Amino acid sequence: MLAQRLPAYVQLVRLDRPAGALLLLWPTLAALWLASGGVPGAGLLAAFVAGTFVMRAAGCVMNDIADRDFDPHVERTRNRPLAAGTVSVPEAAVLLAVLVAAGLAILLTLNMAARWYGAVAVVLIASYPFFKRFTHLPQAMLAITFGWGIPMAFAATTGAVSLTGWLLFGANALWIMAYDTIYAMVDRDDDVRVGVKSTAILFGSADVTAVRVFQIGAVLVLLVLGAQASLGLAWYLAVAAFGACFMRQQALIKNRERPACMTAFRNNAWAGLALFAGIAIDLALPAGNR
């Protein structure tokens, strides 16, 4: 019986769509590398990689439970398990409880500072799905929620969040505002019809320009971070690659076609990989060779 239900559960937690998990993972790993000077402990690394996938899965289940009455009316989401009826709400609730318990078990392996940040993360994950009902800025809430692994990583490594950590958090928040606005552009017509709010609706015909502003802001903050953290050439090359991804995305979204916007959104997984690689390579080099 479980084997027959497994594909629906995999779809519910988005294991078949890894882009979202990668968008969480790369900034979190970047934070771990920065906080540790390039040598994160094996235990911390395992905890944050596992925690990223577990809590992303929990967030997806929570989101689908909250949106089960909206999703059947949106083209992109109508085939999700809860919307299609292949998974019941009680089943999803049990799965959510299991995922939250797993996340708590991982959190308890971290220090007290990280646990406090983890407690905030639970509140953020539980509340985010409801913001689209009363504000056109749910993307701002997602920017905080999706980036919360950054201060957690710094707290778990050093016991506090440094200026470098907050700069990375800020750049990541601007980046999330950009890519989640692109994501919302895919659903805009359906969202208007069912009464769901988003920045894509708020910005209207200025949506592409708004995305560009967020992207430029993210690059500028990353340049400040590089100077503040004394990073070298590998980092700045990574930021250049990050910006090149944005140029590709701008070309894709200019006509606001759904498939092209989704392709642009998925391209952000490569942007995140570029940033993490830049930090990992830069910190692996001797200081004199950066």
Side-chain angles (χ1 to χ4, degrees):
M1 180 67 176
L2 178 60
Q4 295 175 338
R5 308 290 293 142
L6 192 58
Y9 295 146
V10 166
Q11 187 181 1
L12 181 61
V13 300
R14 311 289 200 277
L15 281 178
D16 59 329
R17 296 178 181 272
L22 292 175
L23 290 173
L24 274 171
L25 183 64
W26 297 134
T28 302
L29 291 181
L32 275 177
W33 255 251
L34 277 172
S36 65
V39 190
L44 276 182
L45 180 59
F48 274 90
V49 170
T52 293
F53 282 92
V54 167
M55 294 315 294
R56 189 253 180 169
C60 290
V61 176
M62 180 68 203
N63 184 77
D64 285 7
I65 291 174
D67 287 353
R68 63 189 183 277
D69 294 329
F70 293 114
D71 283 348
H73 306 289
V74 176
E75 180 180 336
R76 182 180 56 82
T77 61
R78 62 169 56 110
N79 292 320
R80 287 178 175 174
L82 281 172
T86 55
V87 173
S88 68
V89 174
E91 283 180 290
V94 170
L95 179 57
L96 178 61
V98 170
L99 290 168
V100 171
L104 178 60
I106 294 169
L107 184 63
L108 291 176
T109 68
L110 306 179
N111 62 20
M112 188 55 68
R115 291 177 191 178
W116 283 113
Y117 279 98
V120 174
V122 173
V123 175
L124 293 172
I125 291 168
S127 58
Y128 159 70
F130 301 98
F131 272 67
K132 69 186 74 173
R133 289 159 170 75
F134 61 85
T135 176
H136 281 94
L137 294 169
Q139 282 68 30
M141 183 61 176
L142 184 71
I144 297 170
T145 305
F146 245 49
W148 204 246
I150 293 171
M152 278 190 68
F154 272 83
T157 304
T158 67
V161 186
S162 66
L163 175 59
T164 300
W166 290 120
L167 284 172
L168 182 59
F169 179 80
N172 190 61
L174 289 167
W175 177 30
I176 292 170
M177 289 292 294
Y179 71 62
D180 204 49
T181 297
I182 293 173
Y183 197 61
M185 289 166 66
V186 177
D187 296 336
R188 176 163 40 200
D189 294 342
D190 292 331
D191 287 347
V192 169
R193 181 164 44 80
V194 301
V196 171
K197 298 175 173 63
S198 73
T199 48
I201 296 171
L202 176 65
F203 296 136
S205 61
D207 51 0
V208 175
T209 299
V211 169
R212 186 180 302 117
V213 169
F214 290 134
Q215 291 173 332
I216 291 171
V219 170
L220 291 176
V221 176
L222 290 172
L223 292 174
V224 172
L225 186 157
Q228 192 274 332
S230 300
L231 298 176
L233 179 61
W235 168 250
Y236 291 104
L237 289 175
V239 174
F242 189 70
C245 287
F246 288 165
M247 294 174 65
R248 168 65 175 155
Q249 292 166 31
Q250 284 289 320
L252 285 166
I253 68 174
K254 64 181 180 180
N255 294 323
R256 301 173 177 83
E257 297 171 350
R258 287 191 183 197
C261 288
M262 184 57 72
T263 298
F265 167 76
R266 290 174 177 151
N267 178 260
N268 283 283
W270 293 106
L273 174 58
L275 278 189
F276 168 65
I279 287 176
I281 294 169
D282 195 87
L283 293 178
L285 295 172
N289 294 331
R290 292 179 184 172

